[in-house]
Amino acid sequence: MKEPDDQDTDRKESDRSSSRRQSLKSSQSAPRTSIKEDDKILEDTTNETFTEEEESNVEEDDSSLEHLEGSSSSSQDDHVGSTEKSQYTETPHSAEEEAEKEVKKKISQSFFYDYKELVSMPFVTPDSNIPLNLLTLVHSFGYDCTRRANLQLLDSNTMMYIAGNQLILLNLKTKEQFYLRSSSGRGIGIIGVHPEKTYFTVAEKGVSPKIIIYEYPSLKPYRILRDGTDLAYAYVDFNYDGTLLASIGGNPDHTLTIWNWKEEQPILRTKAFSQEVFKVTFNPDNDEQLTTSGSGHIKFWEMALTFTGLKLQGSLGRFGKTATTDIEGYMELPDGKVLSGSEWGNMLVWEAGLIKVELCRAGNISCHQGPINQIMLDEGEVITVGSDGCIRIWDFETIDTADAIDESGLLEIEPINELQVDKNVKLFSMIKMNETGHNFWLAQDANGAIWKLDLSFSNITQDPECLFSFHSGAIEALVVSPLTYLMATTGLDCSVRIYDFASKTPLSHVKFKQGGTALAWVPRLVSYTGAQIIVGFEDGVVRILELYDPKGLTIFAGRKKFLDADLHLKYVFKPHTAHITALAYERDGEILATGSQDETVFFFDVEKDYKPIGFITTPGPVCQLVWSPASHLENTLLIICENGYILEAPFPSTKEEEEGDPNVVSYEIKDMHIKCFHFSSVKSKILRLIEIEKRKKQKEMKEKEREERRKQLAAAMGEDGEKEFHEEEEEEEEEEEPLPEIFVPSTPCHILCGFYSGPEKFWVSLGGYDAGFLYHCKFPTYGQNSDITEKKDEPFDFRFLEDTEDNPIHTITFSINKDMMFCGMQDGAIRVYILSQTDLSLKNMENYWHFNIHDSSYGCIKGISTSFDDRFLVTAGADSNIFVFSLFPEVELRKGIKAKVPSARFGIETEPIPQDIDDPKAYSIEDARKKREHDKLMKEVEEIKAGKREQLRALRNEFQKLLQMNEELPKHMQFKRTVSLK
């Protein structure tokens, strides 16, 4: 509230503000003069004000910004232009020519870019005849719910969000998806929507990424903003009337740029801060004021009109006695103050760069339990959104007039209303739905959901509705049904999810207390209906779940509404003490092998309800298990350890063993003949051979050139020509550069994946220094007494993989005919190699198709698989995304194909559920057996001890009787004690 005495000062301030606003508008209407760096040195006109603690950090970083074109304001460009005129006064331009030049600079309001020319496309090896549309994206099941502001509304029915290298537009009514690909192919940093919902921005990632502004609903690329940051954009925001756009760059530059976006011109540019900046926003009531916040800071900006032009001046917020905090959510108040959140859940009121007051609840309770991620002003009320899953409504006047009442700087206030969305909800952002007569909002839940919330707080307020549910965080494993179009996924968010990927429908999900780390579909030889999946968890537990259609079950009172599918716990056991990393059924379905980070592989007899057979120890953490195919004579298990060891174990014997056999105290199998290959790096040798071959070819070419030169000179000059040739030879003699040195990494590079190529032969892909090749290896002859730690084995063949030096293959699968090899890359790309049919020796790996699909920064593909009929390909990544591709034209997919969920077995609803293992400290199978044996031994020892104690007690009683008899005898007949008993 302003006092009447402030009217004069307000008028002066408004005059200054209007002059600045007029200058800002003139800078938008007049495009910048193009300046060539060759003609003149650009001035860095950014005049920031820094606190002493930041100034030293920014000095170095600001020097790197001096070369950035556009750091000058529009008025400074006019100054530079006038300087140029004075230098070339002999060639003045007429008014008509100047006007014509000005018109040429303007971009037509009706101009659009061509999306097909702009968008990133798959790479196909030249002259390979591989179709560009080899794979067609048909659906996305994932959602990166931990990405900042990854939920935007274009109208009441259309939501959009980033999924890897795609922007997905989702119709909330029909659930239909539409995709826009990034132009860089390296991913999308942030998205934003124009206030009038007529445009939206896609700010990308990559080297010198673009900001592409699309028109809505035509989805045509309308404007492209360039050179705003080095590698990725972190946030974008339009001003209130949508004429300006502010952008913040991510690491390493954190550049703040103000754009006249319709003319594709930067107006102002500066470094925002030396640490990560989360967001930037315009003050809704004053375009000349902005705020940025991020890691341990908040900063207040003003566009100031000085005698040298328009500048951005930044003032760093000073925390004073308050602890420094990351600031995720904030809002500008109409009078210029700023209200921000904190990591501990209280609200901070900022005025003139200082904390005026800290707001908490009665009893010094935090406003939220945990960080406040968003603060908004809606219909005269302040709304806060917290990581605790709560939305609280506060009185605006109370906050606006708040002031500290004591030295603590705290003021206690209470919310008007509040909504607890649900348990285990972590709200990250919220956006209002424009539905007349309703107060509905869409909320982004960082724990894997999108909610529809009613914030009307009336007697007819609807309960929170979960519209969509997703994985939160990295997806660790993916598997596809061998019988129908069903897919299962699991991740460290503790959920297992089932999808019908043909009809684009999520079917069911179930949550456990520990994260899932491995998956396999139980083969039809074990479960004929294809109804079972097996899941490994991070605490070492294995669960076998049975999938069924619950609609055929008997309906009884209290049953919840039926889903399209449900999961029933069939078996549970704990073979390991650490993350389970691999699960594999033997080709006849008789044996299950499980591998773990605890450096063991456990075998189970499937036919006997997964009775434990035993385990073997491995020289390193297991990362993959592969049973030999039916084409191999021997049934063996390929065990790939991440530290460079590859083992081959024979089929384990399933001899009967009595549970009470006193000679068996452990499940460990010690007499198994295991072959071992210890990978030794040969990359430096390969590079050396490549260099030798290259130099040999260059030498041969030079020899040919010399011979031709000698013949020319001899023909033209005779003997003198020969003499001149030898003189030239002596002058041209150069010392040959030394060949690359042989290098072997001191720490073995991790093996990422592998597969059998034939009996005792296999291929492996490695990361780190050894990336860039596939290595073909063969097991050496089994040596019973050989020390595997001293072994050094080298591959006998290799295949060069183009552009994979820093981007190795993480997972591999094959088509049914083995004529296509599908590779999931570290940077989230899919690569498809076209092979000769059933050629696992990979003789021809020249032709491939490559496409970036998941996020290039953190979207490593963790799972890739084709459907049972090779019609679809599915991928799952560490960026929470799941993509479904068609290997056939989309016309064939319009037939409405759908997965068949197995019918429920008779009596499954009354079948007892095995007792689950919820305690992560529960004994493993081996530890339980050792405990039983230990308890049995201790019991026997205790029985022996008890017998000895009884004997001692009897002897002691007999001795006491003898002593008493001795004392009753006459003294001359008594025995005398010579040793005293203590």
Side-chain angles (χ1 to χ4, degrees):
M1 296 290 290
K2 293 186 179 294
E3 299 295 329
D5 295 340
D6 294 337
Q7 287 179 358
D8 291 337
T9 56
D10 284 351
R11 191 178 296 112
K12 291 176 185 176
E13 184 62 34
S14 65
D15 292 342
R16 284 199 298 269
S17 176
S18 63
S19 65
R20 284 198 298 267
R21 195 181 299 272
Q22 198 170 11
S23 172
L24 182 59
K25 286 181 179 177
S26 65
S27 68
Q28 294 174 47
S29 60
R32 296 176 63 251
T33 309
S34 59
I35 303 172
K36 293 184 179 178
E37 291 190 28
D38 295 340
D39 296 337
K40 64 193 81 60
I41 299 173
L42 296 172
E43 294 182 45
D44 182 12
T45 60
T46 304
N47 184 21
E48 292 183 17
T49 55
F50 298 101
T51 60
E52 289 180 1
E53 59 183 336
E54 189 197 355
E55 194 170 7
S56 59
N57 294 332
V58 177
E59 281 178 358
E60 297 178 5
D61 295 311
D62 281 350
S63 64
S64 65
L65 289 169
E66 291 180 0
H67 73 282
L68 287 175
E69 188 176 331
S71 60
S72 302
S73 66
S74 58
S75 55
Q76 286 172 322
D77 290 333
D78 295 338
H79 170 71
V80 174
S82 64
T83 307
E84 287 183 333
K85 282 182 191 175
S86 65
Q87 291 174 346
Y88 303 101
T89 52
E90 62 271 20
T91 57
H93 297 293
S94 66
E96 290 108 356
E97 287 174 340
E98 287 294 333
E100 187 180 353
K101 193 174 180 182
E102 186 69 23
V103 169
K104 284 181 182 177
K105 287 181 200 171
K106 283 236 177 233
I107 301 175
S108 170
Q109 293 287 331
S110 60
F111 173 77
F112 290 92
Y113 291 91
D114 187 347
Y115 174 77
K116 291 181 180 178
E117 292 180 3
L118 185 66
V119 71
S120 60
M121 300 296 287
F123 170 82
V124 175
T125 312
D127 304 321
S128 62
N129 296 323
I130 301 174
L132 203 60
N133 61 344
L134 178 68
L135 294 176
T136 303
L137 178 62
V138 294
H139 197 71
S140 168
F141 282 112
Y143 172 58
D144 192 349
C145 57
T146 58
R147 182 192 286 264
R148 191 168 285 109
N150 196 21
L151 179 64
Q152 300 289 343
L153 270 173
L154 291 170
D155 55 44
S156 58
N157 292 327
T158 308
M159 177 180 79
M160 71 174 185
Y161 56 90
I162 303 165
N165 265 280
Q166 288 72 228
L167 177 69
I168 296 183
L169 281 74
L170 174 64
N171 188 302
L172 292 171
K173 288 186 176 178
T174 65
K175 305 296 188 290
E176 185 180 358
Q177 295 180 353
F178 186 84
Y179 313 106
L180 291 174
R181 293 202 297 271
S182 74
S183 66
S184 66
R186 306 305 299 168
I188 300 171
I190 193 74
I191 52 177
V193 178
H194 191 273
E196 296 175 1
K197 311 288 187 185
T198 51
Y199 302 96
F200 61 88
T201 62
V202 180
E204 302 199 346
K205 296 162 74 171
V207 178
S208 297
K210 304 180 183 76
I211 298 177
I212 302 175
I213 300 171
Y214 291 86
E215 188 190 52
Y216 184 77
S218 70
L219 304 182
K220 295 178 182 177
Y222 185 59
R223 294 292 182 264
I224 299 177
L225 311 181
R226 297 174 173 86
D227 300 324
T229 189
D230 288 347
L231 295 176
Y233 285 98
Y235 208 85
V236 291
D237 183 57
F238 285 97
N239 63 343
Y240 182 76
D241 58 9
T243 55
L244 298 176
L245 179 73
S247 68
I248 279 286
N251 285 323
D253 59 303
H254 310 298
T255 303
L256 168 61
T257 309
I258 310 298
W259 305 85
N260 177 6
W261 64 271
K262 284 196 174 180
E263 295 301 326
E264 300 184 351
Q265 293 295 335
I267 298 171
L268 294 169
R269 179 176 298 169
T270 185
K271 185 180 182 67
F273 199 61
S274 56
Q275 298 177 39
E276 185 180 4
V277 183
F278 298 157
K279 63 189 294 187
V280 58
T281 55
F282 284 95
N283 187 323
D285 300 294
N286 188 349
D287 291 345
E288 298 157 14
Q289 293 179 359
L290 299 96
T291 309
T292 59
S293 74
S295 179
H297 80 281
I298 187 169
K299 201 166 183 181
F300 312 103
W301 300 87
E302 186 174 6
M303 299 184 197
L305 182 62
T306 69
F307 70 94
T308 56
L310 196 63
K311 299 178 183 178
L312 265 176
Q313 293 180 339
S315 175
L316 190 65
R318 297 187 290 278
F319 286 91
K321 295 179 182 179
T322 307
T324 303
T325 174
D326 293 351
I327 294 180
E328 189 74 54
Y330 67 83
M331 61 167 279
E332 296 91 348
L333 300 177
D335 59 359
K337 296 197 293 290
V338 172
L339 177 67
S340 81
S342 63
E343 291 180 83
W344 55 87
N346 279 348
M347 290 185 282
L348 310 174
V349 179
W350 298 83
E351 186 174 35
L354 299 172
I355 296 176
K356 182 183 180 184
V357 64
E358 180 177 347
L359 304 176
C360 64
R361 299 181 69 180
N364 202 10
I365 298 172
S366 298
C367 298
H368 285 269
Q369 298 300 312
I372 297 175
N373 292 326
Q374 191 177 11
I375 303 178
M376 295 165 290
L377 183 63
D378 182 67
E379 297 181 1
E381 295 175 332
V382 175
I383 302 175
T384 57
V385 178
S387 292
D388 55 0
C390 283
I391 297 163
R392 293 195 168 96
I393 314 297
W394 311 82
D395 179 60
F396 169 76
E397 288 295 331
T398 305
I399 291 174
D400 192 40
T401 57
D403 205 349
I405 56 176
D406 55 33
E407 291 183 358
S408 69
L410 293 171
L411 179 67
E412 295 180 351
I413 64 172
E414 285 297 310
I416 302 170
N417 280 304
E418 65 178 343
L419 173 66
Q420 174 75 50
V421 176
D422 202 2
K423 293 179 180 178
N424 301 317
V425 167
K426 183 180 179 182
L427 295 178
F428 202 30
S429 71
M430 201 167 70
I431 191 160
K432 192 170 187 177
M433 302 177 73
N434 297 322
E435 292 189 10
T436 308
H438 296 285
N439 193 11
F440 289 134
W441 297 69
L442 285 183
Q444 175 183 344
D445 177 5
N447 281 343
I450 295 175
W451 295 83
K452 184 178 180 181
L453 307 176
D454 183 356
L455 299 187
S456 60
F457 297 104
S458 65
N459 55 356
I460 56 170
T461 298
Q462 298 179 20
D463 290 335
E465 179 187 358
C466 183
L467 297 181
F468 304 96
S469 178
F470 309 92
H471 278 290
S472 173
I475 298 169
E476 293 294 318
L478 172 150
V479 68
V480 171
S481 166
L483 189 63
T484 186
Y485 301 112
L486 291 173
M487 167 179 64
T489 58
T490 190
L492 296 181
D493 62 353
C494 306
S495 70
V496 177
R497 295 173 183 267
I498 306 295
Y499 304 91
D500 174 356
F501 55 84
S503 67
K504 308 173 185 178
T505 309
L507 296 178
S508 179
H509 74 274
V510 61
K511 281 215 167 192
F512 296 93
K513 293 195 174 177
Q514 298 293 319
T517 53
L519 266 176
W521 208 285
V522 178
R524 294 188 67 191
L525 289 166
V526 178
S527 172
Y528 179 74
T529 58
Q532 294 180 5
I533 58 171
I534 182 168
V535 193
F537 292 84
E538 58 184 340
D539 59 350
V541 172
V542 172
R543 292 180 177 90
I544 296 175
L545 307 174
E546 186 171 0
L547 176 69
Y548 64 94
D549 183 353
K551 294 187 180 68
L553 298 179
T554 306
I555 299 175
F556 55 88
R559 177 178 287 279
K560 295 178 182 178
K561 69 174 185 177
F562 288 120
L563 299 171
D564 292 323
D566 210 346
L567 290 165
H568 170 79
L569 183 61
K570 183 76 174 170
Y571 298 102
V572 57
F573 43 91
K574 185 175 181 179
H576 300 283
T577 57
H579 285 50
I580 290 178
T581 53
L583 300 161
Y585 280 89
E586 173 266 335
R587 62 196 185 195
D588 295 323
E590 296 178 7
I591 302 293
L592 167 69
T594 64
S596 170
Q597 284 187 351
D598 66 3
E599 302 185 1
T600 62
V601 175
F602 221 112
F603 298 97
F604 295 87
D605 190 335
V606 175
E607 292 183 353
K608 296 180 179 176
D609 293 336
Y610 295 91
K611 181 182 177 182
I613 296 171
F615 72 92
I616 58 173
T617 56
T618 59
V622 177
C623 69
Q624 190 178 3
L625 297 175
V626 182
W627 284 96
S628 59
S631 59
H632 293 204
L633 291 176
E634 294 185 8
N635 201 346
T636 55
L637 177 66
L638 186 69
I639 304 168
I640 300 175
C641 303
E642 65 179 34
N643 62 345
Y645 287 94
I646 303 100
L647 311 177
E648 187 177 57
F651 189 91
S653 62
T654 55
K655 60 184 179 182
E656 290 292 333
E657 178 190 303
E658 293 184 12
E659 192 67 31
D661 190 345
N663 298 320
V664 180
V665 295
S666 171
Y667 281 106
E668 186 172 7
I669 304 170
K670 296 185 177 180
D671 57 350
M672 188 176 280
H673 291 182
I674 300 172
K675 295 176 182 177
C676 177
F677 184 98
H678 187 192
F679 187 91
S680 180
S681 177
V682 293
K683 183 174 179 178
S684 60
K685 293 181 181 179
I686 293 171
L687 297 176
R688 191 184 182 99
L689 288 171
I690 291 171
E691 183 63 27
I692 290 170
E693 193 64 30
K694 180 182 173 184
R695 292 185 186 185
K696 184 180 176 182
K697 288 181 180 178
Q698 288 176 348
K699 192 174 182 181
E700 288 174 356
M701 288 179 65
K702 283 183 179 179
E703 285 293 332
K704 287 181 181 179
E705 289 173 1
R706 284 186 192 133
E707 185 61 26
E708 288 177 7
R709 173 71 175 159
R710 189 188 66 77
K711 287 178 180 179
Q712 288 174 0
L713 289 172
M717 303 170 64
E719 291 183 3
D720 292 338
E722 288 281 349
K723 188 176 180 182
E724 185 176 335
F725 174 75
H726 288 300
E727 288 175 358
E728 287 178 2
E729 285 282 290
E730 289 175 4
E731 289 176 5
E732 289 179 5
E733 278 186 14
E734 296 179 0
E735 287 188 13
E736 195 176 61
E737 290 185 11
L739 289 166
E741 294 184 3
I742 300 298
F743 170 76
V744 176
S746 55
T747 304
C749 297
H750 280 193
I751 299 180
L752 303 174
C753 63
F755 57 92
Y756 267 118
S757 61
E760 300 184 346
K761 294 180 183 178
F762 55 93
W763 290 95
V764 287
S765 170
L766 283 85
Y769 172 76
D770 288 314
F773 296 88
L774 274 182
Y775 300 96
H776 205 182
C777 310
K778 185 177 181 180
F779 284 108
T781 308
Y782 171 71
Q784 189 169 1
N785 299 319
S786 60
D787 184 1
I788 61 172
T789 59
E790 300 296 325
K791 285 170 62 66
K792 296 289 181 184
D793 301 308
E794 294 184 353
F796 68 88
D797 197 4
F798 64 89
R799 294 290 179 272
F800 171 68
L801 304 175
E802 193 174 17
D803 296 328
T804 60
E805 185 76 17
D806 301 313
N807 183 30
I809 296 173
H810 268 253
T811 181
I812 293 175
T813 192
F814 292 90
S815 59
I816 295 170
N817 297 325
K818 303 290 191 293
D819 56 353
M820 285 191 286
M821 184 171 80
F822 300 95
C823 307
M825 313 300 288
Q826 181 172 291
D827 70 348
I830 300 172
R831 183 172 288 196
V832 185
Y833 283 96
I834 307 300
L835 311 175
S836 301
Q837 196 165 344
T838 65
D839 176 27
L840 292 182
S841 60
L842 308 182
K843 292 175 183 175
N844 183 6
M845 278 190 66
E846 296 176 0
N847 299 326
Y848 67 89
W849 181 95
H850 183 102
F851 192 38
N852 294 82
I853 186 69
H854 290 265
D855 189 276
S856 59
S857 304
Y858 57 94
C860 172
I861 294 182
K862 295 293 191 88
I864 185 168
S865 181
T866 58
S867 61
F868 71 99
D869 58 357
D870 273 356
R871 180 169 288 197
F872 295 95
L873 178 80
V874 292
T875 65
D879 57 355
S880 305
N881 287 311
I882 303 167
F883 294 112
V884 182
F885 299 88
S886 165
L887 275 161
F888 284 76
E890 282 194 75
V891 178
E892 293 193 21
L893 297 178
R894 292 175 189 163
K895 298 173 183 176
I897 54 176
K898 189 177 180 182
K900 174 70 170 70
V901 179
S903 301
R905 283 186 294 104
F906 178 74
I908 192 172
E909 70 271 28
T910 58
E911 192 174 283
I913 299 174
Q915 185 177 356
D916 206 350
I917 303 173
D918 292 329
D919 185 2
K921 296 180 181 179
Y923 288 116
S924 67
I925 292 172
E926 171 68 4
D927 290 342
R929 169 172 267 198
K930 287 181 176 178
K931 180 74 166 54
R932 282 199 304 272
E933 294 298 327
H934 178 265
D935 292 347
K936 182 180 176 182
L937 181 62
M938 293 304 294
K939 184 179 179 182
E940 291 174 355
V941 168
E942 285 299 324
E943 287 175 354
I944 293 171
K945 284 182 180 179
K948 294 293 183 184
R949 290 191 193 99
E950 194 60 36
Q951 289 178 7
L952 286 171
R953 192 178 295 108
L955 290 172
R956 190 178 289 112
N957 291 337
E958 190 175 347
F959 180 65
Q960 290 295 335
K961 288 178 182 178
L962 289 172
L963 287 176
Q964 188 176 357
M965 288 172 62
N966 185 53
E967 288 180 2
E968 291 175 355
L969 292 172
K971 283 198 174 184
H972 68 279
M973 295 180 66
Q974 289 179 3
F975 287 101
K976 294 183 179 179
R977 290 189 179 184
T978 55
V979 179
S980 61
L981 295 175
K982 293 183 181 179

